[in-house]
Amino acid sequence: MVSTNDILETIKMIQEENLDIRTITMGISLLDCIDSDIDKACAKIYEKMMRAAQNHVKTGEEIEKRYGIPIINKRLSVTPIAMLAAAAKGSPVKFAKTLQRVAEGTGVNYIGGYSALVHKGFSAGDRELIASIPEALSETSNVCSSVNVGSTRAGINMDAVKLMGQVIMDSAKATAHDHCFGAAKIVVFCNAVEDNPFMAGAFHGVGEPDTVLNVGVSGPGVVRAALSKMPDADISEVAEVIKRTAFKITRMGQLVGTEASKLLGVPFGIVDLSLAPTPAVGDSVAHILEEIGLESCGAYGTTAALALLNDAVKKGGVMASSHVGGLSGAFIPVSEDAGMIDAVNRGSLGLEKLEAMTAVCSVGLDMVVVPGDTPVDIISGIIADEAAIGMVNSKTTAVRVIPAIGMKEGDTLEFGGLFGSGPVMNINRFDCSKFISRGGRIPAPLQSLKN
């Protein structure tokens, strides 16, 4: 039974504490659209996606009105396009342009899945798709790309790591006129998951149903508000409050996912528990860590506080939903989190501390802006380090780094909207090119032998 207090508390969370559903993402399999004729394949993709997603945005808006719950983004994800490119002759950019037409036709915010999975090596279509990413992202506005370069079971494909450093730089240059936004639409993963509803890394895994609906929730402001009411609590009590709050947030995500699934006639997949921050005041993961007791995010103790937060969010969320998946935990994107931006600007948070934090949170180095003259091999080195953390710890890690063309440390790259603004961060410029140029594959760690 839902009490009046529960209803009033939820209304307060929405109106005062930035609680929202960050995204409802429909995953659509394109395996039945594969064709050796790329034009026929594109026609099949457009027809299937328009049919499956024609009411996706409308349904989200209807749920918003019915329950008064903001749903910020309505998105689509598709089968990794490299799999279709393997069978078709012609430039994979045609697929990206088809996805853009679908985005415009359905009204969705973003489509993820211009992707390749190359953690153990390159199969047909992978290299061609990866090489086309800068062009594809510069010629589309709603298409996102991801490449999985490593896994705990396979190790790390260092040839792919090297390639992605160049792809990220080329994408930034190709969109230099548009705040280098192409690079912001690329995620490089280790241990990528098949049911991620968040962009830019979402793709529809081959183990998923033909269509499925996944939900991503957000509620950093709600967690911070709950903690602010108990300034003298001990750490165990802090964890308990976060768990209870995460439970309430996830229940709302479960409700929205179930309703959208019924209205669309699409199976409900998962609720992703990740606390996804925004540049809005009071909607910051960094501010939660500071509420726990840090003067500034990045101070000693930050990694421990983040580990506490991440664990408590998961424990509370799994009690609220039978289908938890995606990434689930706490995101730490720099440009999308007002508290992270402040921490970088005041000097308490740098890339090295961010890397340490990624060992205990969801994903990794996210929306990090680096100087435009950063050597490509250093970008590859950042990717390799982050992939190693994911590989050894059997968790998903990722890199979304944006070279700010023409900018230097201390400048600010403005994106606007949910992407916020990114302070250009200092980087370690010592050379790693010999390591990166060796190529090959870093062997899987011992913990991969679990059978």
Side-chain angles (χ1 to χ4, degrees):
M1 178 70 70
V2 178
S3 69
T4 303
N5 284 339
D6 289 335
I7 295 171
L8 293 174
E9 184 180 39
T10 301
I11 292 171
K12 182 181 179 183
M13 289 177 181
I14 293 170
Q15 292 182 342
E16 301 178 17
E17 298 165 6
N18 298 297
L19 178 61
D20 59 54
I21 298 297
R22 182 53 45 83
T23 179
I24 53 172
T25 301
M26 180 185 291
I28 304 173
S29 173
L30 301 183
L31 293 177
D32 54 347
C33 300
I34 291 175
D35 198 293
S36 58
D37 185 323
I38 194 168
D39 293 322
K40 289 182 179 178
C42 288
K44 292 178 184 178
I45 289 169
Y46 183 79
E47 189 280 327
K48 179 173 185 178
M49 292 185 70
M50 290 300 296
R51 173 167 37 86
Q54 60 183 330
N55 294 319
H56 186 52
V57 172
K58 177 183 174 183
T59 298
E61 292 171 347
E62 183 177 331
I63 293 172
E64 286 182 283
K65 292 176 183 176
R66 183 181 300 180
Y67 295 103
I69 300 171
I71 302 174
I72 305 303
N73 286 300
K74 295 85 176 175
R75 299 163 169 168
L76 305 177
S77 64
V78 297
T79 304
I81 291 296
M83 299 177 68
L84 285 80
K89 294 181 179 179
S91 171
V93 175
K94 284 192 173 184
F95 290 116
K97 291 181 177 180
T98 299
L99 296 179
Q100 180 63 34
R101 287 176 56 218
V102 172
E104 293 166 357
T106 58
V108 298
N109 303 95
Y110 290 102
I111 298 179
Y114 199 76
S115 307
L117 311 178
V118 296
H119 38 282
K120 208 168 183 177
F122 300 96
S123 60
D126 289 335
R127 286 184 183 272
E128 191 174 7
L129 180 123
I130 290 172
S132 74
I133 289 173
E135 181 185 354
L137 298 188
S138 67
E139 295 193 9
T140 61
S141 55
N142 302 88
V143 176
C144 295
S145 179
S146 60
V147 177
N148 192 65
V149 300
S151 74
T152 300
R153 296 302 295 266
I156 302 172
N157 181 350
M158 292 300 292
D159 294 311
V161 168
K162 181 176 177 62
L163 274 177
M164 289 311 299
Q166 188 64 58
V167 164
I168 288 170
M169 180 59 74
D170 290 345
S171 297
K173 289 179 177 178
T175 54
H177 63 285
D178 186 27
H179 315 287
C180 306
F181 197 60
K185 297 192 292 175
I186 304 171
V187 179
V188 185
F189 278 116
C190 178
N191 289 321
V193 297
E194 296 189 336
D195 54 5
N196 170 18
F198 289 104
M199 297 298 167
F203 64 86
H204 187 71
V206 295
E208 296 288 300
D210 192 55
T211 55
V212 68
L213 195 77
N214 298 318
V215 175
V217 297
S218 173
V222 179
V223 175
R224 185 192 183 191
L227 291 175
S228 69
K229 298 171 185 174
M230 42 190 310
D232 300 319
D234 67 25
I235 289 299
S236 295
E237 292 170 323
V238 167
E240 189 63 30
V241 167
I242 296 171
K243 280 197 301 182
R244 291 201 301 266
T245 307
F247 176 88
K248 296 171 185 176
I249 294 169
T250 307
R251 289 301 287 175
M252 189 178 77
Q254 176 81 14
L255 168 66
V256 168
T258 302
E259 284 297 301
S261 173
K262 289 178 183 177
L263 292 171
L264 289 166
V266 172
F268 175 50
I270 57 92
V271 177
D272 185 308
L273 309 178
S274 299
L275 295 179
T278 72
V281 175
D283 198 29
S284 161
V285 169
H287 288 159
I288 296 175
L289 303 179
E290 291 164 3
E291 194 68 52
I292 292 174
L294 305 171
E295 179 184 3
S296 179
C297 180
Y300 294 116
T302 296
T303 306
L306 183 58
L308 162 72
L309 172 64
N310 211 51
D311 179 68
V313 165
K314 290 181 180 181
K315 286 175 177 173
V318 296
M319 293 298 293
S321 174
S322 299
H323 300 286
V324 171
L327 301 166
S328 290
F331 285 173
I332 53 171
V334 175
S335 79
E336 298 174 5
D337 186 308
M340 294 286 179
I341 295 169
D342 290 342
V344 171
N345 287 333
R346 69 171 68 103
S348 66
L349 184 63
L351 269 177
E352 287 74 15
K353 187 59 177 179
L354 273 170
E355 182 180 304
M357 293 165 67
T358 64
V360 298
C361 76
S362 292
V363 202
L365 296 174
D366 194 11
M367 291 300 288
V368 171
V369 183
V370 297
D373 64 350
T374 301
V376 168
D377 286 329
I378 285 181
I379 296 175
S380 294
I382 292 170
I383 294 169
D385 283 345
E386 202 56 41
I389 290 173
M391 176 185 71
V392 172
N393 290 290
S394 302
K395 70 183 292 292
T396 303
T397 52
V399 171
R400 187 159 52 146
V401 60
I402 301 100
I405 306 303
M407 293 187 176
K408 60 184 185 303
E409 179 191 349
D411 293 339
T412 298
L413 184 61
E414 297 284 349
F415 299 112
L418 284 176
F419 292 95
S421 62
V424 181
M425 300 183 70
N426 180 47
I427 60 167
N428 180 337
R429 290 184 178 267
F430 283 89
D431 188 28
C432 62
S433 59
K434 183 175 180 179
F435 169 61
I436 297 300
S437 64
R438 285 180 182 273
R441 182 155 54 98
I442 294 179
L446 189 60
Q447 55 264 45
S448 69
L449 303 176
K450 291 186 177 180
N451 286 339

